[in-house]
Amino acid sequence: MTPFEFKRAESVVDAVASGSGTRFLAGGTNLVDLMKEHVERPPHLTDINHLPLKELEELSNGGIRLGALATNADTADHALLRDRYPLLASAILAGASPQLRNAATNGGNLLQRTRCFYFYDTATACNKRSPGAGCTAIGGLTRMHAILGASHQCIAVHPSDMCVALRALDASVNVIGKNGERIIAFADFHRLPGERPEQDSTLQDGELITSIDLPAQPFNKNFTYLKLRDRLSYAFALVSVAAALRMEGGVIQEARVALGGVAHKPWRNEEAESKLRGKRAERDQFATFATEILSEARGQGGNDFKIDLARKAIVRALEQAATARPQSQTDKRVA
Amino acid sequence: MLRDKLDLCGTKKGCDHGQCGACTVLIDGKRVNSCLALAVSRDGASIVTIEGLAENGKLAPLQEAFIERDAFQCGYCTPGQICSAQGLLNEGRTSSKDEIKEFMSGNLCRCGAYPNIVDAIADVAGQTP
């Protein structure tokens, strides 16, 4: 990796004062990987591992706050999450490996970058690495690439499972920068590539994520995180679905469906969700919903199969949620 | 650093990118991929490598179980497997073979010793203290 200067932040104020041009180092499970590949070459690293941002706490509004520096493993195993937000716990456990989850942090999970092999391969043209250079993925090997929200500049997907559940749960992200604190709704955190694929998120240079808030509505009865991939474990999603329902007597009161593995950010369609309100939780309703949420889906050649796979996954996930049989991340048979 | 500077060559360099688990060590009791852990950022942590599992020349129960169950062929992934399995036992995720398999999925074995690795871990998990 390229040589760098290293400093340890002693406080949040100290970290924010580092300004732009430094990268924050937490678990390092994505940043160190990218540095070894020379994709990231930060001249300065600021170690934030000692900042007091590791707690999970209950909020007065009935929700919970996840510290940005709590590890993914500690978060998924936390009693508050297992009991009240099992959809999020399930999604976290569907991702990476135990070793990675023990080091990766919540903030880092949001900021992890795409695993597009062209992004990783500095011998290829990549608009995300190098604005204006071109995109070798388009017309290349596109099995792992986007079917929704792509642009002529970038067809990469966001690799996180946790973020798909956070999107379904309407989380919000608390950040602090030199201009003070602000809250970013999860829907607005990650970007679509558009004309600026080098910008993964709306976080400003030098801003630090301090915590992620979950609203009071837990959806802990009728939910599932269904992840389909080329291996049973330790692989990124081809397509994943976070589905959650609030039901009364077989009738849907509220539906949340977010898709992973298909776009530059978790994909939701609130308008399609609203049409499920008042409908019976039945397959034909789910199929109609799936068609609508995928209406803009376009394959890139190597990932055309994802459209039909996603359609079926959405229907299956909604059935799992409706019958309160969430997909187990240990028993790999699809319920 | 473990291998080159501290002469602790038990921990292996596999993929160097967090994708194989051969480099697994225990940091403050938790299993992690050492290949993605910058030493300077872990200053002050307690680090246990495979060399640290045996006590006074006596092999740890996991090490005995790996021998008993023939849980390795070439042995390259084995230090990482055992450190990871020790972490797994610390985490308590051993209620079934399915759970062991899923929670050991971060350790690849090109020789395919997986069934015996799972059996070795199940043996130790099932032992009464």
Side-chain angles (χ1 to χ4, degrees):
Chain A
M1 49 180 90
T2 317
F4 54 91
E5 281 182 19
F6 179 91
K7 82 162 229 211
R8 199 161 113 169
E10 301 300 338
S11 67
V12 171
V13 167
D14 186 26
V16 170
S18 306
S20 56
T22 192
R23 296 288 257 121
F24 294 127
L25 174 70
T29 53
N30 192 226
L31 182 56
V32 174
D33 182 27
L34 290 170
M35 286 170 70
K36 287 187 177 193
E37 299 279 9
H38 296 280
V39 172
E40 293 270 6
R41 289 164 297 180
H44 300 273
L45 274 192
T46 300
D47 180 344
I48 56 171
N49 284 297
H50 297 268
L51 299 184
L53 300 173
K54 297 185 182 154
E55 301 305 311
L56 265 76
E57 52 173 307
E58 296 194 64
L59 297 172
S60 53
N61 65 8
I64 66 171
R65 175 162 291 169
L66 312 175
L69 288 172
T71 65
N72 288 170
D74 285 345
T75 302
D77 286 347
H78 199 283
L80 274 179
L81 238 85
R82 282 200 329 260
D83 298 336
R84 299 197 9 210
Y85 301 88
L87 172 59
L88 182 56
S90 181
I92 294 172
L93 291 176
S97 69
Q99 290 93 314
L100 290 169
R101 297 194 296 261
N102 275 339
T105 62
N106 294 332
N109 194 307
L110 265 59
L111 291 173
Q112 70 179 298
R113 310 204 68 189
T114 185
R115 301 307 194 284
C116 168
F117 4 90
Y118 300 95
F119 172 67
Y120 263 77
D121 185 351
T122 54
T124 70
C126 172
N127 287 320
K128 187 180 279 292
R129 257 190 288 116
S130 219
C135 172
T136 319
I138 296 174
L141 300 170
T142 55
R143 184 176 183 81
M144 302 301 287
H145 291 76
I147 53 169
L148 288 159
S151 77
H152 66 116
Q153 291 215 17
C154 182
I155 59 169
V157 304
H158 196 276
S160 169
D161 297 296
M162 181 177 186
C163 288
V164 182
L166 288 173
R167 179 69 180 97
L169 292 168
D170 272 342
S172 56
V173 188
N174 300 310
V175 311
I176 184 167
K178 56 182 177 352
N179 294 328
E181 296 176 277
R182 65 189 182 107
I183 302 170
I184 307 174
F186 207 82
D188 301 329
F189 187 83
H190 296 104
R191 295 181 65 255
L192 289 179
E195 304 294 318
R196 311 284 314 266
E198 70 276 13
Q199 288 178 359
D200 292 352
S201 75
T202 56
L203 201 66
Q204 302 295 318
D205 228 2
E207 275 186 324
L208 180 72
I209 300 174
T210 55
S211 58
I212 300 160
D213 286 353
L214 298 178
Q217 178 58 256
F219 289 98
N220 60 353
K221 198 160 159 293
N222 298 95
F223 69 93
T224 192
Y225 188 71
L226 179 61
K227 180 175 182 180
L228 302 171
R229 42 182 159 176
D230 283 326
R231 296 199 294 233
L232 289 181
S233 188
Y234 204 12
F236 294 99
L238 292 168
V239 169
S240 69
V241 185
L245 297 170
R246 197 161 46 80
M247 289 171 37
E248 254 162 60
V251 175
I252 298 170
Q253 307 301 310
E254 196 181 349
R256 305 276 182 93
V257 178
L259 307 181
V262 296
H264 203 255
K265 60 190 284 184
W267 193 267
R268 252 182 89 180
N269 184 325
E270 276 104 324
E271 200 190 312
E273 287 172 5
S274 68
K275 292 179 187 169
L276 281 173
R277 255 176 237 147
K279 301 285 200 304
R280 293 204 59 82
E282 280 159 4
R283 179 178 279 217
D284 52 343
Q285 298 296 343
F286 301 154
T288 304
F289 169 84
T291 301
E292 188 165 348
I293 191 177
L294 293 170
S295 59
E296 293 163 34
R298 279 177 41 232
Q300 296 293 330
N303 66 358
D304 298 351
F305 68 88
K306 282 195 185 186
I307 302 175
D308 208 40
L309 184 65
R311 193 187 325 275
K312 290 172 179 158
I314 291 164
V315 172
R316 183 66 74 95
L318 283 164
E319 285 177 338
Q320 289 181 345
T323 53
R325 289 175 309 134
Q327 180 63 44
S328 162
Q329 304 303 345
T330 304
D331 180 347
K332 300 297 182 173
R333 284 166 299 184
V334 178
Chain B
M1 190 187 88
L2 292 171
R3 296 175 55 82
D4 294 342
K5 300 256 159 66
L6 299 176
D7 277 345
L8 293 170
C9 294
T11 309
K12 300 295 183 247
K13 183 165 176 170
C15 70
D16 208 28
H17 286 278
Q19 295 172 21
C20 77
C23 69
T24 305
V25 297
L26 295 159
I27 299 188
D28 292 332
K30 305 235 165 118
R31 49 182 169 156
V32 295
N33 294 320
S34 58
C35 66
L36 296 178
L38 290 184
V40 63
S41 75
R42 302 296 201 268
D43 196 12
S46 141
I47 299 178
V48 176
T49 65
I50 187 69
E51 290 91 347
L53 289 190
E55 270 185 59
N56 297 321
K58 186 170 182 306
L59 292 178
L62 262 176
Q63 290 169 305
E64 293 284 3
F66 266 59
I67 295 170
E68 198 57 39
R69 286 290 191 170
D70 189 25
F72 55 96
Q73 290 186 40
C74 79
Y76 197 80
C77 75
T78 311
Q81 296 280 1
I82 295 176
C83 285
S84 183
Q86 185 58 62
L88 172 69
L89 290 167
N90 295 348
E91 288 159 23
R93 294 271 196 186
T94 53
S95 67
S96 67
K97 293 235 168 121
D98 270 354
E99 193 174 38
I100 292 172
K101 284 180 199 174
E102 171 57 21
F103 284 88
M104 285 298 293
S105 70
N107 291 85
L108 303 185
C109 170
R110 199 62 180 79
C111 295
Y114 298 114
N116 294 357
I117 292 170
V118 173
D119 285 348
I121 295 169
D123 282 353
V124 177
Q127 287 166 11
T128 46

